[in-house]
Amino acid sequence: MFKGLAAFPLTPLVNGKPDEKTFVSLIENLAAARVNVIAPLGSTGSYAYLSREQRARLTALSTDAAGDIPVMTSISALRLEEMLDLADDAQRAGARGLLLAPLSYQPLSQEEAYRLYERVARAVSVPLCIYDNPATTGFTFTQDLLCAVARLPNIGSIKLSPFSDAAGAAAKIAALRREIPATVTLGTSGDHQAADALLAGADVFCSVTAGLWPRDIRALTDAALAGDAAQAAALNGAFEPLWTLFRRHGSLRVIAAAAELSGRVAAPCLPEPLLSLQGEARAQLQTVLAQRDYH
Amino acid sequence: MFKGLAAFPLTPLVNGKPDEKTFVSLIENLAAARVNVIAPLGSTGSYAYLSREQRARLTALSTDAAGDIPVMTSISALRLEEMLDLADDAQRAGARGLLLAPLSYQPLSQEEAYRLYERVARAVSVPLCIYDNPATTGFTFTQDLLCAVARLPNIGSIKLSPFSDAAGAAAKIAALRREIPATVTLGTSGDHQAADALLAGADVFCSVTAGLWPRDIRALTDAALAGDAAQAAALNGAFEPLWTLFRRHGSLRVIAAAAELSGRVAAPCLPEPLLSLQGEARAQLQTVLAQRDYH
């Protein structure tokens, strides 16, 4: 299941509680656009700010709304036993993939992270996606650890942290391919550099933007995965004004503001103390949205 | 209340649950040693790995066991509303100080962190200690932000992140003193460099080691706060073998292993997936403990 376009929607909140109706409408839009994986409750879906009950309920709403499209949901939490409980909940709610970051309060050692994946991998019956996100976990995978974890049972994919450039993407992907099982696919995150990473051999576009505008990112993904560099560059170019904001402010606060400004969700949609883009940056985004028509 | 020695004890777990009897014995030992502040449920006390109910219960046990010594407890959590709930709980349980880090999953912006402190500071009736700990929060205070937060109502102290050296400590402390209210004290964390920071003008030693061995750190704190550099150096020297391990492995995993090896807590005492010191490093610690007799 871990191939093509994985779309990561927001979990819009109203007064601190999930706005389920709007959330379902976002999922239905992803299903209609035929993304390959619907990935609610990723970092963009604010999983870390939601209770176990909220996460179980939102996962169940997602699998209902997703139809035949597989749903992957995050099971990361600060404690191992919470992660095991969340894995049970997600599988019961019909998730067909589980996203797991080495989340902790005290950044984990390589050995602690390996044991964490080992314990969870042996406890689940749907495939795991290893989630490498140093910005939120404070944890950096060594190449050796990433390969060792990828060889555990039930590992389906690795969601890699953003590459610095196309050459770096090609080198890292080639190095991983030599070491990991052929059944484990490689995903790229960081929408602003994903076209390069797909052209360099990544299998999955784990996209924040597709959570809001799946059709344009679907076209970009298809072009890049087909190796059509010219078409991919043209489609990617339309997003450059957005990527500039992503690079400067991170994707979450920008996409949340875009969803608010376009009326897709009520403002403010993020969990406190997070704020979507404010002030001058928000005005810049509004200008981008007035000039472009993303779908 | 934020002056002298603040001791940060472990929260020992057995099968993932707080071992309340052992926890209380640690608190009683701190009270008997007449530390100035007992600070359960700091980073060393694994607050981030415990439920709201566990934190409320452990805070109540602490204030009971602390006698006349003030208790400060952490109210950090991933969401603002949890922090407000935890502040209510802690105050009801008799805490006389509240430790607050700009914790988040998505590292906060300077503006988000300011608003967080503003909301909490206006909601509480006992003083807050600002907790600067980039290793666990991913957040770095600018000097301007730290001073702006220190000028909010109900701010009692700042627990600073470790200094790189004595000159850096002196410069940072002097720069802060010029900007913050005289009522806000400055605490130093990072036991391995605390003697230098106290001699350079810090008011509080926020000590991990004192959570286990309060008497020796009490003596070190008193010497350094009295400006007796020779005596402070002598007392600090006795801890150098331990500080070497702190620098290499972080204080939590070392002090947890020390508590396990000395029979003060049952092993393993940390929440999974965290591990206390293992392997060769644990053997080194055992050698240190066999040669030194800390109290």
Side-chain angles (χ1 to χ4, degrees):
Chain A
M1 64 172 275
F2 299 110
K3 288 209 168 182
L5 175 58
F8 286 73
L10 291 160
T11 302
L13 304 185
V14 170
N15 296 326
K17 302 266 180 293
D19 174 355
E20 294 187 355
K21 196 173 158 200
T22 303
F23 175 78
V24 167
S25 75
L26 294 175
I27 303 292
E28 287 170 344
N29 186 45
L30 303 181
R34 305 302 300 162
V35 302
N36 299 93
V37 180
I38 296 178
L41 305 168
S43 294
T44 303
S46 294
Y47 77 82
Y49 300 90
L50 300 171
S51 69
R52 177 178 173 187
E53 293 68 28
Q54 289 171 325
R55 291 165 76 170
R57 165 107 180 131
L58 292 165
T59 302
L61 290 172
S62 301
T63 56
D64 279 354
D68 63 331
I69 296 181
V71 167
M72 172 173 73
T73 193
S74 167
I75 57 165
S76 300
L78 291 174
R79 284 191 71 167
L80 173 61
E81 60 194 48
E82 290 179 88
M83 301 192 220
L84 294 169
D85 287 341
L86 287 159
D88 284 347
D89 293 349
Q91 291 174 100
R92 256 196 295 271
R96 286 159 62 188
L98 305 172
L99 182 62
L100 180 60
L103 186 62
S104 185
Y105 173 73
Q106 302 279 353
L108 299 181
S109 69
Q110 301 286 307
E111 182 187 356
E112 288 166 342
Y114 179 78
R115 287 186 185 211
L116 165 65
Y117 279 100
E118 190 178 39
R119 285 281 294 277
V120 178
R122 292 185 193 286
V124 297
S125 52
V126 301
L128 284 176
C129 177
I130 303 165
Y131 186 9
D132 179 16
N133 189 345
T136 56
T137 62
F139 181 83
T140 302
F141 282 92
T142 62
Q143 163 97 355
D144 281 353
L145 177 66
L146 202 50
C147 294
V149 174
R151 288 190 288 265
L152 287 168
N154 288 325
I155 304 294
S157 191
I158 307 174
K159 180 178 186 297
L160 295 163
S161 55
F163 301 105
S164 50
D165 55 33
K172 176 140 187 184
I173 288 168
L176 285 171
R177 294 264 194 238
R178 282 194 293 272
E179 302 284 338
I180 65 173
T183 51
V184 175
T185 65
L186 296 175
T188 183
S189 55
D191 290 24
H192 58 278
Q193 56 81 60
D196 280 346
L198 294 173
L199 288 164
D203 307 292
V204 195
F205 185 171
C206 298
S207 174
V208 166
T209 309
L212 195 61
W213 297 305
R215 288 165 188 81
D216 290 350
I217 302 292
R218 167 89 271 171
L220 169 56
T221 308
D222 291 345
L225 285 176
D228 187 342
Q231 176 70 354
L235 295 166
N236 192 55
F239 279 104
E240 268 304 329
L242 198 67
W243 300 165
T244 301
L245 292 168
F246 276 26
R247 286 190 193 95
R248 196 167 305 152
H249 306 285
S251 58
L252 174 65
R253 292 169 179 87
V254 177
I255 207 74
E260 291 171 358
L261 288 168
S262 62
R264 299 279 292 278
V265 305
C269 73
L270 292 179
E272 288 185 291
L274 301 182
L275 294 170
S276 71
L277 221 54
Q278 304 289 310
E280 198 184 330
R282 192 178 183 93
Q284 285 169 5
L285 174 63
Q286 196 148 27
T287 304
V288 170
L289 297 181
Q291 290 167 349
R292 306 272 175 171
D293 201 12
Y294 298 125
H295 294 92
Chain B
M1 65 170 276
F2 298 110
K3 288 211 167 180
L5 175 58
F8 286 73
L10 291 159
T11 302
L13 304 186
V14 170
N15 296 324
K17 301 268 181 294
D19 173 355
E20 294 187 355
K21 196 174 155 200
T22 303
F23 175 78
V24 167
S25 75
L26 294 176
I27 303 293
E28 287 170 343
N29 185 44
L30 303 180
R34 306 302 301 164
V35 303
N36 299 94
V37 181
I38 296 177
L41 304 167
S43 294
T44 304
S46 294
Y47 77 83
Y49 300 90
L50 299 171
S51 70
R52 177 178 173 187
E53 292 69 27
Q54 289 171 326
R55 291 166 74 171
R57 164 107 181 130
L58 292 166
T59 302
L61 290 172
S62 301
T63 56
D64 278 353
D68 62 333
I69 297 181
V71 167
M72 172 172 75
T73 194
S74 167
I75 57 166
S76 301
L78 291 173
R79 283 191 72 166
L80 174 61
E81 59 194 51
E82 290 179 87
M83 299 192 222
L84 294 170
D85 287 341
L86 287 160
D88 284 347
D89 293 349
Q91 290 175 102
R92 256 196 294 273
R96 286 158 61 188
L98 305 171
L99 182 62
L100 180 60
L103 187 62
S104 185
Y105 174 74
Q106 302 278 353
L108 299 182
S109 69
Q110 301 288 307
E111 182 187 354
E112 288 166 342
Y114 180 78
R115 288 186 184 210
L116 165 65
Y117 280 99
E118 190 177 40
R119 285 282 293 277
V120 178
R122 292 186 194 286
V124 297
S125 52
V126 301
L128 284 175
C129 176
I130 304 165
Y131 187 9
D132 178 17
N133 189 346
T136 55
T137 61
F139 181 83
T140 301
F141 282 92
T142 62
Q143 163 97 357
D144 282 352
L145 177 66
L146 203 49
C147 294
V149 174
R151 288 189 288 263
L152 288 169
N154 288 325
I155 304 294
S157 192
I158 307 173
K159 181 178 187 295
L160 296 163
S161 56
F163 300 105
S164 51
D165 54 34
K172 178 142 186 183
I173 289 168
L176 286 171
R177 294 264 193 239
R178 283 194 292 274
E179 301 283 338
I180 64 174
T183 50
V184 175
T185 64
L186 296 175
T188 183
S189 55
D191 290 23
H192 58 279
Q193 56 82 60
D196 280 346
L198 294 174
L199 287 164
D203 307 293
V204 196
F205 185 171
C206 298
S207 173
V208 167
T209 308
L212 195 60
W213 295 305
R215 288 166 188 83
D216 290 350
I217 302 293
R218 166 90 271 173
L220 169 57
T221 307
D222 291 344
L225 286 176
D228 186 343
Q231 175 70 353
L235 294 166
N236 191 55
F239 280 103
E240 266 306 327
L242 198 68
W243 300 164
T244 301
L245 292 166
F246 276 27
R247 287 190 191 94
R248 196 168 305 151
H249 306 286
S251 59
L252 174 66
R253 293 170 178 87
V254 177
I255 207 73
E260 291 170 358
L261 288 169
S262 61
R264 299 278 292 278
V265 306
C269 73
L270 293 179
E272 289 185 291
L274 301 183
L275 295 170
S276 71
L277 220 56
Q278 305 289 310
E280 197 185 330
R282 191 178 184 91
Q284 284 169 7
L285 174 63
Q286 195 149 26
T287 303
V288 171
L289 296 182
Q291 290 167 348
R292 306 270 175 174
D293 201 13
Y294 298 126
H295 293 93

